[in-house]
Amino acid sequence: MICKYRKLGLAAVLVGATIATVLAQDAAVRVASGQREILLQADQSWNGKPYTHYPTGQPQLTTIKLTIAPHTALPWHTHPFPNVVYVLSGTLTLHDKASGKTLVVHQGQAAGESIDDVHRGETGDEPTVLLITYAGTPGVPTSVPAKGEQAEY
């Protein structure tokens, strides 16, 4: 009979230890808010052209990572809907073809790209890695080459 009680006592101790371990693990998870840093909030593109509307239809977000070799200019192109470029590494100089405006975007910076304005990006002395997010619709290309130009990517 004493053996039976010892087994029950041992089982109770093991169950208690297991529950205590689970509770301790749950207690180790801390619930807290994240640190927010707005990288870009804009109602116009970098060249001053206001964003007037979003495309109609089913929304589709597209994010691409684009790596461009040093001393390289992308082909002239347009975008049919709002998008933002974030420079992960390197430097990107944006050129607006019609106005001649430029903007230099460094590592850790973001810029709202222009819609329906012919422009291109150019890299500096090192490879440039970009993260580009488009707010578009299915079936519509994210980038449209200017007349006589090849595709951007």
Side-chain angles (χ1 to χ4, degrees):
M1 198 67 154
I2 293 175
C3 186
K4 179 179 176 184
Y5 290 118
R6 282 188 182 163
K7 288 181 182 177
L8 285 174
L10 180 60
V13 168
L14 289 174
V15 168
T18 301
I19 291 172
T21 301
V22 169
L23 291 175
Q25 287 174 349
D26 284 347
V29 176
R30 193 182 89 171
V31 176
S33 297
Q35 183 177 349
R36 180 180 181 201
E37 178 183 356
I38 295 175
L39 299 174
L40 177 72
Q41 189 170 47
D43 58 4
Q44 64 183 12
S45 68
W46 69 271
N47 65 356
K49 185 173 182 179
Y51 295 134
T52 58
H53 66 282
Y54 282 107
T56 57
Q58 171 69 41
Q60 178 178 336
L61 296 177
T62 303
T63 300
I64 63 168
K65 182 178 173 185
L66 182 63
T67 302
I68 309 167
H71 304 289
T72 299
L74 294 173
W76 294 104
H77 62 278
T78 62
H79 300 291
F81 35 70
N83 68 90
V84 61
V85 60
Y86 180 81
V87 179
L88 293 170
S89 64
T91 302
L92 181 70
T93 301
L94 296 169
H95 298 275
D96 182 274
K97 190 170 186 175
S99 71
K101 289 183 182 180
T102 62
L103 175 71
V104 179
V105 189
H106 299 279
Q107 179 178 344
Q109 295 180 324
E113 288 208 59
S114 56
I115 300 174
D116 299 327
D117 282 343
V118 177
H119 66 282
R120 71 178 176 189
E122 183 179 341
T123 61
D125 293 333
E126 58 190 62
T128 299
V129 182
L130 308 173
L131 192 62
I132 309 170
T133 301
Y134 300 89
T137 54
V140 178
T142 57
S143 181
V144 178
K147 186 175 183 177
E149 296 282 334
Q150 64 186 29
E152 179 183 16
Y153 42 81

